[in-house]
Amino acid sequence: MRVVLPAGTTETALIDGISAAGAAPELMEHTPSADVEILAYGEPVMSPVTPVSPNGCPTPAAVTRAVREVIDFDVAVVDAGLTQSTAAPTVDLGVEPGTDVREAVAVPSADAVFDRAYDYGVSLPDDELLIGETVPGGTTTALGVLTALGEPTAVSSSLPENPIERKRRVVDEALAASDLEPGDCEGRPLAAIEAVGDPVQPTVAGIAAGALEAGTAVTLAGGTQMIAVAAVLRHAGIDAPLSIATTSFVADEQGDRLEAACEQVGCDLTVTDPGFDGRDHVAMERYCAGEAKEGVAMGGALSLVPDDEMAAVRDRLEAVCARLGIDGTGEGSSVAEGSRGP
Amino acid sequence: MRVVLPAGTTETALIDGISAAGAAPELMEHTPSADVEILAYGEPVMSPVTPVSPNGCPTPAAVTRAVREVIDFDVAVVDAGLTQSTAAPTVDLGVEPGTDVREAVAVPSADAVFDRAYDYGVSLPDDELLIGETVPGGTTTALGVLTALGEPTAVSSSLPENPIERKRRVVDEALAASDLEPGDCEGRPLAAIEAVGDPVQPTVAGIAAGALEAGTAVTLAGGTQMIAVAAVLRHAGIDAPLSIATTSFVADEQGDRLEAACEQVGCDLTVTDPGFDGRDHVAMERYCAGEAKEGVAMGGALSLVPDDEMAAVRDRLEAVCARLGIDGTGEGSSVAEGSRGP
């Protein structure tokens, strides 16, 4: 079992009103680079930001790292268009950052990215892959791709109040800029990504497609962003079994729509509740209040935890939070420089 | 504890007579890229070569990987001048491949490489680092740096018959091309590397220097190449405690000179014998015959293995060898496309 984590950026995250409240846009592009440092080293190392919201909600990378400190798993981070350098080891597939979806082309050469990611995925010797993502703005680009493919269009948010109408307007603009109507890209998923997606999508999809071709079991670790990737794979004619593993926080927000969406794209669904509601700690309280919800393979990593070790994960999360400058009370949280986009 | 592995190349490896017998020079530059794939994934993944000598001796990466499969440890591979792409995750410090030491400049901007590596090393949160290397031709560049610094000049080889006289002639030429006499770089170790070294040296030295500054315990995992790095650190005025961990194969070749050299550069020495002589397997026989000896942090990794798990390491090595196309008998070894340089 290996966790593969494509990490990238899109200028879409900078659009006013879809980025996380309180986060300075110029710092958001550091978030995925900091996330993968937290996953690799347990804390930001050379990244100048620590992705913690002003409320004291840490990036999901903190949770995935806490899981890793309890049940060790191998990680391969893939540079899927990072803007800022990172001290984490990354696989270089030559992926460039994405541009604003409201431009004509959002992901130049999406098909070439998919092909290189496929070659990587097909070559991996693992029996089982869990593929996650970290890309601020990723739910908006997921909405874009789902809409272009003519698939159901509910997406999640890292904010308690999902700015879904704002996202829909952005996607409408994005489709118009690419001369597309909803559903125009049916059966042409890479055209959908090129027009209104982000560079993490063809990277995840390509690795998944290659791995499936090699007979590897693939779980997509994420929420509605992974529904979009699953739709991409299905529209590419790939009908191998596919699973999605996400958090109870996404499931709580999405309700019945989540299962319906998984059914529509032919994916098994695993939802894991980390039991944060039993703890008096600001980070876990913020997750229970609907902040962040998912990302950095959080739901997939949690799905690997045996029931009797989940309490240890919560303990480790407190330790990781302390390293990120979050004390449990929510007072004196000194670090609020970055944040995940919705 | 984290194993940090700078991996790079120098055109010095292509000099006739110092490269490993039987290896095609044009394939040698793939060796470090393949080594780090073996360490990360257990076998070459996208690399077109498998570093196994014509005699069936696998790269030390196979041994380090076998150790990792028994006692899991964290790895961070650093791109210290790779020529060929690799599917392994790597930390990018912007290090370029090295040129032939017989040119005036062997490592452009060695001081800038050292500085970036220092910044990385000082930022790592680990209590303890074990720093290895993989760079074909690395013992020749080690001889070059030791000679330029005026330090004792015995170096090891990946070949049973060490072409030490050939290496000395190369180093003489290299010094002349840089207008240097032996000892001219005393106290100026980065000038020595720039003139007659390789890009892995300032990367290892910089990470070590930064980590030592941060209070991290540092072990240099390797043989005579790490004596050269230790000399670099001492000539840079760094007098913190430093250890070297290598294999019994290097110690057997070097005899008393190894301990004397460690004493001269103020390093503790740990020598680990993996007990390969008890096994009827071609790979282990080749190591006992003096092939390969060390590299890819092999000696350091072996030093981490508790005595009662060393047999498990040998078992795993057989499994890794099978994945590399080496059967235990030495017959039918189908893969001999690459090889480590001496």
Side-chain angles (χ1 to χ4, degrees), chain B residues 9-15 81 96-108 141 174 193-199:
Chain B
T9 59
T10 161
E11 287 175 3
T12 307
L14 303 177
I15 298 172
E96 296 296 318
T99 53
D100 190 321
V101 285
R102 296 170 305 176
E103 303 201 19
V105 172
V107 183
T141 48
I193 292 172
E194 184 150 312
V196 295
D198 69 58

Side-chain angles (χ1 to χ4, degrees), chain A residues 11-24:
Chain A
E11 288 176 2
T12 307
L14 303 177
I15 299 173
D16 195 38
I18 69 161
S19 57

Side-chain angles (χ1 to χ4, degrees), chain A residues 92-121:
Chain A
D92 181 6
L93 298 177
V95 185
E96 296 295 318
T99 53
D100 190 321
V101 287
R102 296 169 306 176
E103 304 201 18
V105 172
V107 183
S109 312
D111 49 354
V113 171
F114 179 92
D115 289 348
R116 291 196 295 274
Y118 181 97
D119 290 345
Y120 172 66

Side-chain angles (χ1 to χ4, degrees), chain A residues 33-297:
Chain A
S33 300
D35 278 348
V36 297
E37 291 186 356
I38 292 167
L39 187 57
Y41 303 109
E43 59 189 83
V45 165
M46 299 187 77
S47 171
V49 308
T50 300
V52 175
S53 82
N55 293 328
C57 185
T59 165
V63 180
T64 307
R65 172 69 193 191
V67 172
R68 198 177 179 203
E69 292 184 10
V70 174
I71 54 153
D72 199 25
F73 51 76
D74 283 330
V75 168
V77 175
V78 177
D79 184 338
L82 291 171
T83 313
Q84 297 296 324
S85 65
T86 180
T90 59
V91 178
D92 181 6
L93 298 177
V95 185
E96 296 295 318
T99 53
D100 190 321
V101 287
R102 296 169 306 176
E103 304 201 18
V105 172
V107 183
S109 312
D111 49 354
V113 171
F114 179 92
D115 289 348
R116 291 196 295 274
Y118 181 97
D119 290 345
Y120 172 66
V122 83
S123 73
L124 290 174
D126 306 281
D127 295 328
E128 198 182 339
L129 291 187
L130 203 150
I131 313 176
E133 55 69 35
T134 168
V135 49
T139 55
T140 300
T141 50
L143 182 65
V145 166
L146 287 164
T147 306
L149 294 174
E151 294 285 350
T153 54
V155 295
S156 188
S157 170
S158 63
L159 298 168
E161 300 293 318
N162 190 344
I164 185 73
E165 288 313 317
R166 177 76 186 123
K167 290 180 188 174
R168 286 197 203 281
R169 285 196 301 277
V170 168
V171 167
D172 288 347
E173 260 188 83
L175 288 169
S178 304
D179 272 328
L180 290 172
E181 297 284 334
D184 269 4
C185 292
E186 191 184 330
R188 296 187 302 126
L190 292 169
I193 292 172
E194 185 149 313
V196 294
D198 69 59
V200 171
Q201 293 164 340
T203 309
V204 174
I207 296 169
L212 289 170
E213 176 65 28
T216 303
V218 173
T219 299
L220 300 174
T224 46
Q225 288 175 242
M226 289 306 179
I227 302 277
V229 170
V232 163
L233 291 167
R234 297 318 186 197
H235 279 256
I238 295 164
D239 56 7
L242 203 54
S243 299
I244 287 183
T246 191
T247 64
S248 53
F249 308 111
V250 170
D252 289 347
E253 184 207 43
Q254 291 292 307
D256 294 341
R257 283 173 306 186
L258 183 63
E259 217 156 322
C262 283
E263 205 163 306
Q264 179 142 350
V265 294
C267 287
D268 288 335
L269 173 65
T270 301
V271 172
T272 306
D273 179 347
F276 287 176
D277 51 347
R279 289 274 172 135
D280 181 27
H281 186 282
V282 62
M284 294 185 243
E285 283 167 6
R286 294 318 305 161
Y287 273 87
C288 291
E291 250 191 273
K293 294 190 185 73
E294 171 62 283
V296 199

